[in-house]
């Protein structure tokens, strides 16, 4: 059974800092790995999708990497801003249509 | 930009009552999903739906749950007899391509269900 773990559970940084969020998964047989953003009481917004054959994806200040063999992904956020404050969720799709989510990292960027 | 919509945003019900949560997926999408998130917990998969059939369901999705696409635009989740532990945020999602595709699942804003 696929398990997804995210560390740290929470992170507080000053504005402008570069930061890394970590995600690990137990079963490397995945189709893709996705990073989502969740604002309090709101839905999930897709940030990046990395297919299993890819090593990384970039969107603006966000860069996500995937090491399928070791079951790890990182989300790198450059020059963080207060508007980046949210919970970041990692999810994997493997062998079926469902996404398996981690519990998330709650990020606070302080002005 | 097209988006998934859900109604109501918040539903309060008494234990044992039936509730129907409604979703309008993105119009050209073919695959539909329901997930739930109990407060402070992970987002959990409930069910996927394609071509008017359930394609996969989790162990959470027991006989108390059902899904339906009653027309060309709506996708509903029914809970027949709600329990306290059904209190959660319920998310609808959709995408164009199913398993193994390159397309993300697009999530709605959620319905917060509170069972008293």
């Amino acid at each position: 059974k696929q398990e997804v773990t995210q560390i740290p559970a929470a992170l507080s940084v000053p504005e402008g800092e570069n930061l890394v969020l970590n995600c690990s998964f137990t079963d490397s047989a995945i189709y893709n790995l996705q990073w989502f953003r969740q604002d309090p009481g709101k839905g999930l917004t897709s940030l990046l999708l990395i297919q299993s054959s890819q090593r990384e994806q970039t969107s603006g200040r966000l860069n996500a990497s995937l090491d399928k063999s070791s079951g790890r992904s990182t989300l790198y956020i450059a020059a963080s801003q207060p508007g980046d404050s949210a919970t970041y969720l990692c999810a994997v799709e493997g062998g079926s249509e469902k996404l398996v989510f981690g519990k998330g990292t709650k990020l606070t960027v302080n002005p | 930009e097209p988006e998934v919509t859900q109604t109501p945003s918040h539903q309060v019900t008494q234990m044992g009552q039936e509730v129907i949560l409604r979703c309008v997926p993105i119009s050209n999408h073919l695959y539909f999903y329901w997930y739930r998130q109990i407060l402070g917990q992970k987002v959990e998969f409930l069910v996927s739906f394609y071509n008017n059939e359930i394609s996969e369901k989790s162990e959470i999705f027991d006989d108390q749950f059902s899904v339906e696409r009653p027309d060309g635009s709506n996708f509903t989740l029914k809970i027949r007899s709600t329990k306290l532990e059904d209190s959660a945020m319920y998310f609808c999602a959709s995408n164009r391509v199913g398993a193994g595709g390159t397309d993300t699942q697009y999530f709605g804003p959620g319905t917060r269900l509170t069972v008293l």
Side-chain angles (χ1 to χ4, degrees):
Chain A
K1 180 185 173 186
Q2 180 74 268
E3 294 285 344
V4 178
T5 303
Q6 291 186 247
I7 53 171
L11 183 62
S12 181
V13 301
E15 183 177 1
E17 194 160 294
N18 302 325
L19 57 100
V20 174
L21 308 182
N22 297 291
C23 171
S24 61
F25 47 95
T26 55
D27 185 349
S28 62
I30 62 170
Y31 288 134
N32 61 56
L33 183 143
Q34 303 180 40
W35 285 93
F36 291 87
R37 170 184 172 137
Q38 184 176 28
D39 293 283
K42 301 288 181 62
L44 282 62
T45 302
S46 177
L47 298 173
L48 290 164
L49 182 151
I50 311 176
Q51 296 178 59
S52 62
S53 59
Q54 298 175 321
R55 297 284 294 184
E56 65 179 310
Q57 280 287 337
T58 298
S59 176
R61 294 182 294 107
L62 305 180
N63 175 275
S65 67
L66 173 64
D67 184 343
K68 201 175 76 157
S69 60
S70 68
R72 293 181 185 177
S73 175
T74 60
L75 178 67
Y76 175 83
I77 302 176
S80 58
Q81 302 170 357
D84 295 331
S85 298
T87 297
Y88 290 81
L89 303 178
C90 170
V92 297
E93 180 189 339
S96 71
E97 295 156 350
K98 69 180 183 185
L99 293 176
V100 178
F101 284 84
K103 204 170 179 182
T105 294
K106 183 177 181 180
L107 174 65
T108 303
V109 181
N110 301 300
Chain B
E1 184 175 329
E3 57 184 19
V4 176
T5 59
Q6 291 185 243
T7 55
S9 57
H10 190 191
Q11 173 97 43
V12 180
T13 189
Q14 296 291 325
M15 191 169 54
Q17 294 296 303
E18 175 183 287
V19 294
I20 298 176
L21 310 183
R22 303 180 192 280
C23 168
V24 178
I26 295 173
S27 62
N28 64 344
H29 287 185
L30 302 175
Y31 295 81
F32 314 116
Y33 312 86
W34 283 101
Y35 292 82
R36 78 172 187 189
Q37 185 178 33
I38 295 170
L39 190 64
Q41 302 299 312
K42 295 182 178 184
V43 176
E44 301 173 287
F45 169 80
L46 292 177
V47 65
S48 58
F49 191 86
Y50 169 71
N51 199 26
N52 283 319
E53 291 186 338
I54 289 174
S55 47
E56 186 176 356
K57 61 183 180 180
S58 72
E59 58 271 16
I60 302 169
F61 195 89
D62 61 21
D63 291 344
Q64 292 300 309
F65 291 88
S66 62
V67 289
E68 189 179 28
R69 188 154 164 83
D71 52 42
S73 60
N74 290 282
F75 179 51
T76 62
L77 173 69
K78 181 193 290 186
I79 309 175
R80 287 191 183 81
S81 178
T82 49
K83 306 182 186 70
L84 296 176
E85 55 264 36
D86 293 327
S87 293
M89 183 76 97
Y90 288 80
F91 293 108
C92 173
S94 69
N95 66 357
R96 291 176 295 115
V97 183
T102 59
D103 192 28
T104 188
Q105 293 179 19
Y106 295 83
F107 282 75
T111 293
R112 178 164 298 285
L113 176 65
T114 301
V115 182
L116 302 177

